[in-house]
Amino acid sequence: MKQSSVLVGRLKFIILSLLGIYLFLIPITVTDDKGNPETSLPVAFLANTALDWIGDYAGLIIMLLICVSAVMSLIYSTAFSSSTKRTITNELFNVNWIWVVVRIIGAIFAVFIYFDFGPGVVINENTGLMVYNDLLPTLLAVFFFAGLFLPLLMDFGLLEFLGPMFAPVMRPVFKLPGRSTVDNLASFIGDGTVGVMITSQQYEQGFYTRREATVIATTFSVVSITFAIVIAQTIGLMDYFFKFYLSVIISCVVAAFIMPRVWPLKQIPDQYSNGSTEQLNEKIPKTHNPITWGFEQATEKAVKSPGVKQFFINGIKTILDMWLAVLPVVMTIGTIATIVAEYTPTFSILGAPFVPLLELMQIPYAKEASETLLIGFADMFLPSLLISDVPSDMTRFIVGALSISQLIYLSEVGGVILGSKIPVSLGKLFMIYIIRTIIALPIIVILAHIFF
């Protein structure tokens, strides 16, 4: 590389990565509507400001986005189902029939709620109306700014810089190759679904074994900081966001240490997609140490990073993907699950055996908390939605942090895993979900008792 290109690459890596860290990781103090100071993150502040600006139009925008997703998915998945072109529209709308049905149901629910007609179980303030008015507007705004600014963390060398420094601990601690560090960080910092897609490609290309790919997808594909912000806002604990996300990280790291050493992940064969069992060799060159090698890799990444125009084009693509793929799923799964929770004793029955355990852990409102433990397998937002009215900060903290730490939820990450090339079944995903819950719950409870 030319010296000038290297200098530009280094500057882009340092400046833009620091800007990304500031937007997504550094707490700031802002004033609420009543003039009281509160803690937030810059990206959350931007999202809230945007919501205040668009006001009542948020509901209309959400309804139109979900309807467009449903109609276009129906068209593309029928008339253009055989198309393999890598166009934006084809990637957004050419999905399998299950997701088409989910998007259509989401559009029906959105129309019912926006125009205030239809079944009472859907437009009830504790079911569809709650999802539509309380959750989706926040997602609408947060997805916009996250989609626009996440490349600052992902595309300018930050992950490449951190990767080599963590590589020496990956194999002995997590039983994973060093190259998975960037993948895992992308999942933690960016988005779990992105991590799953990276992992699937790496497995197909022969860089991960079947066991490694499954471990990464089911252990490190945590929802992004963006989603954690949404959860913290939903349960009213943005003032505790640092402690909240720290609890998530600690519980997930402990789970990542234990899970590869127990069934079912331990029994998955270490076999590459081509049938080979010979482990790949990844070493830092002898002429470098982890810091200098990471800096060199980061510089190279920044040199090849997109320009201003492509940066915004990529951001718009990400925003559209989040809006048109995630919003309908949350509308559908969230409404159906809250209907089940509101009108049937299903989750009370499933959660009843956990009540004595939660009471033993001295968790306030143990019965209400127990009803959220298994519902998260359907969608990660649901536990927080169901617990949001409980008066105990500690209980809301525990349920919110646990819902993120459970990791596998079918409305997004779990669905992406099942649709990927990674060979893992629905039943195995559910068992991994249960085991993660058993590991994470006591850790989060201990931390909650310390913080509260």
Side-chain angles (χ1 to χ4, degrees):
M1 290 186 290
K2 295 181 179 179
Q3 192 64 31
S4 58
S5 297
V6 171
L7 179 59
V8 171
R10 289 174 178 172
L11 290 174
K12 287 172 71 175
F13 156 58
I14 294 170
I15 295 173
L16 296 180
S17 294
L18 287 175
L19 178 58
I21 290 171
Y22 168 74
L23 286 171
F24 287 92
L25 298 175
I26 305 300
I28 59 173
T29 300
V30 298
T31 55
D32 61 16
D33 296 335
K34 299 179 180 178
N36 299 318
E38 62 180 14
T39 303
S40 184
L41 295 175
V43 69
F45 172 74
L46 291 172
N48 290 333
T49 302
L51 274 182
D52 291 339
W53 183 67
I54 62 177
D56 294 337
Y57 289 105
L60 175 61
I61 295 169
I62 290 167
M63 189 268 293
L64 292 176
L65 286 171
I66 294 177
C67 288
V68 166
S69 176
V71 172
M72 294 300 291
S73 297
L74 183 61
I75 293 172
Y76 265 80
S77 298
T78 53
F80 303 102
S81 60
S82 60
S83 174
T84 57
K85 293 182 180 179
R86 295 187 61 83
T87 61
I88 298 177
T89 52
N90 202 46
E91 292 179 0
L92 283 174
F93 304 121
N94 199 343
V95 295
N96 66 49
W97 67 269
I98 295 176
W99 298 116
V100 174
V101 171
V102 168
R103 293 180 182 186
I104 291 174
I105 294 173
I108 294 171
F109 287 166
V111 170
F112 280 164
I113 294 166
Y114 183 77
F115 291 103
D116 194 24
F117 77 97
V121 296
V122 174
I123 61 176
N124 185 288
E125 63 180 5
N126 294 320
T127 60
L129 199 62
M130 177 177 65
V131 175
Y132 193 83
N133 289 339
D134 295 347
L135 176 59
L136 294 189
T138 302
L139 291 181
L140 178 75
V142 171
F143 283 171
F144 178 82
F145 290 103
L148 198 59
F149 295 129
L150 266 177
L152 295 173
L153 292 177
M154 306 288 289
D155 294 344
F156 295 96
L158 179 62
L159 301 183
E160 282 72 16
F161 175 69
L162 296 176
M165 286 184 279
F166 286 93
V169 304
M170 292 305 294
R171 180 65 67 181
V173 177
F174 302 116
K175 295 186 176 294
L176 294 172
R179 67 178 295 118
S180 68
T181 306
V182 173
D183 189 348
N184 299 332
L185 289 172
S187 300
F188 250 102
I189 297 176
D191 182 77
T193 58
V194 174
V196 172
M197 293 190 302
I198 294 172
T199 304
S200 179
Q201 292 173 356
Q202 293 283 285
Y203 172 71
E204 284 186 271
Q205 296 170 10
F207 292 110
Y208 295 153
T209 66
R210 178 180 173 182
R211 184 195 60 80
E212 291 167 351
T214 308
V215 168
I216 295 169
T218 61
T219 306
F220 285 95
S221 298
V222 182
V223 296
S224 65
I225 293 173
T226 303
F227 278 87
I229 293 169
V230 172
I231 292 295
Q233 289 179 326
T234 302
I235 59 178
L237 291 175
M238 278 303 295
D239 287 346
Y240 290 89
F241 184 78
F242 176 78
K243 296 176 181 177
F244 178 80
Y245 202 66
L246 177 65
S247 301
V248 171
I249 292 174
I250 292 173
S251 62
C252 286
V253 169
V254 174
F257 175 80
I258 296 173
M259 296 287 294
R261 292 169 167 82
V262 299
W263 180 90
L265 293 179
K266 183 180 180 180
Q267 272 65 44
I268 297 176
D270 257 322
Q271 187 176 53
Y272 293 94
S273 56
N274 61 5
S276 171
T277 57
E278 184 177 349
Q279 195 175 95
L280 296 179
N281 182 27
E282 289 186 328
K283 291 184 179 180
I284 297 174
K286 293 181 179 179
T287 53
H288 293 77
N289 60 47
I291 295 177
T292 59
W293 180 240
F295 191 66
E296 183 174 314
Q297 294 294 100
T299 301
E300 185 176 341
K301 176 72 174 180
V303 168
K304 298 177 181 178
S305 64
V308 176
K309 179 180 178 181
Q310 193 60 43
F311 175 87
F312 285 104
I313 290 175
N314 293 343
I316 291 170
K317 288 180 181 178
T318 303
I319 293 167
L320 289 175
D321 186 40
M322 288 179 165
W323 279 354
L324 297 170
V326 178
L327 292 183
V329 173
V330 174
M331 183 76 251
T332 302
I333 302 295
T335 301
I336 292 174
T338 50
I339 288 172
V340 173
E342 180 73 12
Y343 292 97
T344 76
T346 302
F347 293 109
S348 296
I349 294 171
L350 291 175
F354 294 98
V355 174
L357 174 63
L358 299 183
E359 289 177 340
L360 181 64
M361 293 179 172
Q362 299 181 359
I363 299 175
Y365 299 91
K367 181 179 181 299
E368 288 80 356
S370 71
E371 296 174 5
T372 69
L373 292 185
L374 298 181
I375 194 175
F377 187 62
D379 187 90
M380 182 270 296
F381 290 114
L382 297 178
S384 296
L385 287 176
L386 295 177
I387 207 70
S388 59
D389 292 330
V390 167
S392 169
D393 287 350
M394 177 188 288
T395 303
R396 298 199 309 276
F397 182 97
I398 291 169
V399 170
L402 181 64
S403 70
I404 298 174
S405 304
Q406 288 168 320
L407 191 149
I408 300 166
Y409 56 107
L410 293 180
S411 63
E412 191 180 87
V413 170
V416 175
I417 292 174
L418 291 173
S420 72
K421 299 296 184 181
I422 304 169
V424 56
S425 66
L426 176 61
K428 194 164 289 184
L429 279 183
F430 182 69
M431 291 309 303
I432 293 171
Y433 173 88
I434 295 296
I435 296 170
R436 288 189 65 87
T437 302
I438 294 171
I439 294 171
L441 178 60
I443 297 170
I444 293 171
V445 169
I446 291 171
L447 292 171
H449 279 292
I450 293 173
F451 296 147
F452 293 91

